[in-house]
Structures are given as structure tokens and as C-alpha cells.
Amino acid sequence: MKNIFLIILSLFLVTSCEKEIDLDLEDQSGSIVIEGNVTDQTGPYYVKITKSVAFTQANQYPAIENAQVVLSDNTGQTETLLYVGNGRYRTSSFVGQSGRTYTLKIQAEGKEYTSTSTMPQAVSFDDLEQDSFTVGGEISYTILPVFTDPVALGNRYLFSYTVNNKPKKYFSEFSDNVNNGMPNQRPLILPNDDGEDPDDVKVVVGDTIHVEMQCIDNNVYTFYSALLQLSGGGAGGGITPSNPPSNISNGALGYFSAHTVRKKSIVIQ
């Protein structure tokens, strides 16, 4: 039996915004799902712990309330997170900084789960440039994040963007395997969905696009790359259903990411 594993991509944990993606995955109902982020912006930071459910069940993802959640880094900083409800655990004074390696340790339901993530150096997010193309008489818009990839190979990026004040988020992951050390040439294709679903978005002149650029480590990039392909949003249009490769031990689903955050907005002209 297939299982729908709801991954709530908490990319804006400082403002507690959430994005839901439903995926047809291997049958792992009842598996622990961990979603954790540390950024170079002012906290608090959050870790969310829930359980996956089968697709035959209602979209209610049981929270794990009595876990011990400890966040630390390679400079000796450590903190036990406070449970604040809905499966969410919050830091109080923890500080995220580029170049540090962060470790997440969780004791939950008699098992231990661990993960590490190294926060890259931030890359300057210089501007956003608009372009458009026409297919079948319909105009679609793109925006180009303006930044120059560092000379050293191995940089990985995640872009998250929203339209106006709508909560739905769109994602795209970049790597410097192509055009290493050069100005970015890969645009973000903006939504052109004009359906009956209230979540559908068609970008038109006057819309404001809010873009967040994250510099992420390679394991987190691998997770999101697989996730976007599974959801039909990555290059290649989808792969055989399976679970994205988590960077958390002991069979946990989900991810732990230490990343930088830079934001810009543009009004479509």
C-alpha cells in the first residue's frame, strides 16, 4: 500500500511559514518525520517532529510531544529545545553562523536520531531580473536571481518564492556543477496555472514576487533535488516513487538543514 508522507518544508522558520507537499511514497506509515532548520538570521529556530500516515487516513499527522531535542555546534554551543505545541520544538538563545557544523540529536519513543549539517558561507544575492516567453499565445514570466557563484566548486542553492501574499511556495534547487564561478544564468519559471483550484496561481503584470535564496550543504541539496523530482517539480518530470534521501539517522524521514538566507522582491512589469 502506498503511503503519503507529508513533508512540511519549514523554510521560513523565523516567520513560521510552511509549505506542504504530498507525495506518493513507499509504505512507511508510522515512521518518524523530522524537519529542522538553523539559519544565519536571528532565531528562534524550530524542529518539527511528527509521524507519517497512510494515504487512506485523513491528513492528520500525529505530533510527537515528549521528545528530547538538543541542538549543538562545533564551537561548544548547545541548547535543549522547548516544546511549543503541534510537534514543534523551539530554541531560546541559539545563534546560527556560517562556517559552523550543527548537530541535531533527538530522543523520541525509545530511539535516538542524529543529523549534522554545515552552514555554507553566504553568497551575495544582488538583484532580480524579469523576462517572459509566449507559448500558445499565453505569456509566462521568469525571473533571474542575480548572483555570482564563487570560484570554488561545490556550492548548492535552494530558491523559495511566493506570489503577492499567497501562502503557496514554489521551489527550485541550483548547483554549480554547470557554470561554476560564473554569474547565474538559470531563471526561476513563475507559475502560470489558471485553473479552478484556489491554490492555482497565474502571474500577471503588477504581481509581487518574493524570493528567498538559501545556500545549503550537499546532503540537503540531494534531499530537495529528489523531493522536487518526486513532486514533479524537478528536471526530468518525476522518478520512481521512493522516499527522498534523508540526512537523519536511524531511518527517520525528513531533513535537517543549516543554511544562509537572503531575500529580494520584484514587481512584474
Side-chain angles (χ1 to χ4, degrees), residues 69-132:
V69 181
V70 178
L71 188 60
S72 61
D73 68 14
N74 60 333
T75 69
Q77 183 181 203
T78 186
E79 183 176 328
T80 299
L81 279 63
L82 175 68
Y83 184 68
V84 293
N86 195 30
R88 298 167 77 232
Y89 296 77
R90 184 188 66 201
T91 63
S92 298
S93 58
F94 202 86
V95 177
Q97 183 175 317
S98 291
R100 295 182 180 180
T101 297
Y102 294 88
T103 299
L104 177 67
K105 291 186 177 181
I106 295 173
Q107 295 278 351
E109 299 185 331
K111 295 183 179 180
E112 181 175 277
Y113 305 91
T114 62
S115 181
T116 61
S117 181
T118 299
M119 189 184 300
Q121 296 298 321
V123 173
S124 178
F125 189 6
D126 299 322
D127 205 355
L128 290 167
E129 295 180 353
Q130 174 189 327
D131 202 351
S132 64

Side-chain angles (χ1 to χ4, degrees), residues 7-43:
I7 300 175
I8 301 176
L9 299 180
S10 309
L11 302 180
F12 295 95
L13 289 177
V14 173
T15 55
S16 300
C17 296
E18 294 180 339
K19 157 67 177 171
E20 296 182 355
I21 295 180
D22 289 336
L23 302 177
D24 292 333
L25 299 178
E26 295 173 352
D27 185 6
Q28 291 196 21
S29 55
S31 295
I32 192 170
V33 182
I34 298 170
E35 312 147 45
N37 293 262
V38 176
T39 78
D40 64 342
Q41 305 299 298
T42 302

